[in-house]
Amino acid sequence: MQMDFYEAIEKRRTIRVFKGPATEEQLKNIILAGTKAPSAMNKQPWEIIMVEEQGIIDQLAELKYELTSKSLPAGAMGPEEIKERALAQKNSFENASIVAVNNILEWEKSVWLCIENMSLAAVAEGLGSGIVLFWGDEKEEIEKILGLPEDYELTAVLKIGVPGEEPNTREKNPMGGRRPEFSWLHKNRFQK
Ligand SMILES: Cc1cc2nc3c(=O)[nH]c(=O)nc-3n(C[C@H](O)[C@H](O)[C@H](O)COP(=O)(O)O)c2cc1C
């Protein structure tokens, strides 16, 4: 799909409900776009796993459920809300193509550029995507499930597919709206 670059930037929003996976061709286009990203010393430190086995996808979804359940601040929200949010994270793995993006240890930064390229390419393919982060025991567990060698680690999991929801406007993001444009811009030195 031809699309103006800035339009693609605006259209890229995190999707957490999917109604169908990407086609094999779309997924390959997206992954190829990812691997065109710049990388420190041109190391191209990404290893990308297309996760197709439902059993593995279910394990990833369950681990995200457990991680979210114990990570959300119990002081700031009640147990029902925590459960609801954890379930939404788990359910977001349904009906999507699941891609685990991994990096060589100590070489994570460039892989995030690969992930952003993939997120934008998904838009160009008429699809939506969502990044899922893992850390701690759950991240290690996934690395075992995916059979990562010791000198690699999981960067993030990307869900890609046909959007099944219309995202809120950027201003209504429940995690907080966008900061005002240029409120983050400084000249010469950091200004408070
Ligand atoms: C490093 C990183 C980790 C993220 N992890 C998660 C996650 O685990 N689950 C999730 O639902 N969204 C995750 N997101 C998506 C953010 O919540 C989202 O980008 C942010 O709220 C802004 O919304 P937008 O992407 O629609 O502009 C992550 C995004 C980034 C960049």
Side-chain angles (χ1 to χ4, degrees):
M1 185 193 288
Q2 288 293 323
M3 187 180 286
D4 175 76
F5 177 73
Y6 290 100
E7 190 188 342
I9 295 254
E10 283 300 333
K11 275 201 173 160
R12 188 222 51 82
R13 298 298 313 284
T14 295
I15 298 296
R16 299 186 180 87
V17 179
F18 296 90
K19 55 183 185 195
T23 65
E24 177 110 11
E25 194 194 349
Q26 286 174 321
L27 210 49
K28 285 196 173 143
N29 288 344
I30 292 166
I31 291 170
L32 269 177
T35 60
K36 303 276 162 65
S39 63
M41 297 179 78
N42 203 20
K43 196 160 171 95
Q44 303 157 65
W46 37 72
E47 296 290 336
I48 296 165
I49 303 177
M50 287 164 61
V51 183
E52 294 172 343
E53 274 181 41
Q54 193 55 48
I56 302 182
I57 296 173
D58 291 346
Q59 282 178 295
L60 302 187
E62 191 59 39
L63 285 163
K64 186 60 185 179
Y65 176 79
E66 285 167 22
L67 184 57
T68 310
S69 302
K70 69 183 188 195
S71 303
L72 285 174
M77 55 186 82
E80 281 309 309
E81 187 178 349
I82 289 181
K83 192 168 181 200
E84 196 182 311
R85 287 198 186 203
L87 263 179
Q89 289 290 309
K90 176 179 174 175
N91 295 340
S92 70
F93 284 76
E94 288 174 9
N95 306 319
S97 301
I98 305 296
V99 180
V101 187
N102 309 286
N103 62 274
I104 301 174
L105 281 183
E106 314 286 345
W107 290 85
E108 179 179 356
K109 291 183 181 72
S110 309
V111 177
W112 281 106
L113 306 185
C114 170
I115 290 172
E116 175 66 349
N117 267 15
M118 288 170 71
S119 305
L120 292 171
V123 176
E125 293 289 339
L127 301 172
S129 70
I131 296 168
V132 185
L133 204 59
F134 289 91
W135 57 90
D137 292 345
E138 285 74 11
K139 174 171 170 261
E140 279 183 24
E141 181 76 28
I142 292 174
E143 289 164 350
K144 274 193 212 129
I145 293 168
L146 298 176
L148 258 61
E150 263 183 17
D151 43 346
Y152 287 83
E153 68 175 333
L154 175 74
T155 319
V157 171
L158 205 56
K159 303 160 296 184
I160 302 167
V162 181
E165 66 171 348
E166 190 66 43
N168 278 329
T169 62
R170 292 184 193 278
E171 278 52 52
K172 288 194 179 147
N173 187 330
M175 274 166 244
R178 288 263 148 184
R179 294 169 59 189
E181 285 180 3
F182 304 115
S183 64
W184 26 253
L185 186 66
H186 307 261
K187 282 192 180 164
N188 301 317
R189 291 185 184 80
F190 194 103
Q191 284 138 354
K192 286 191 183 160

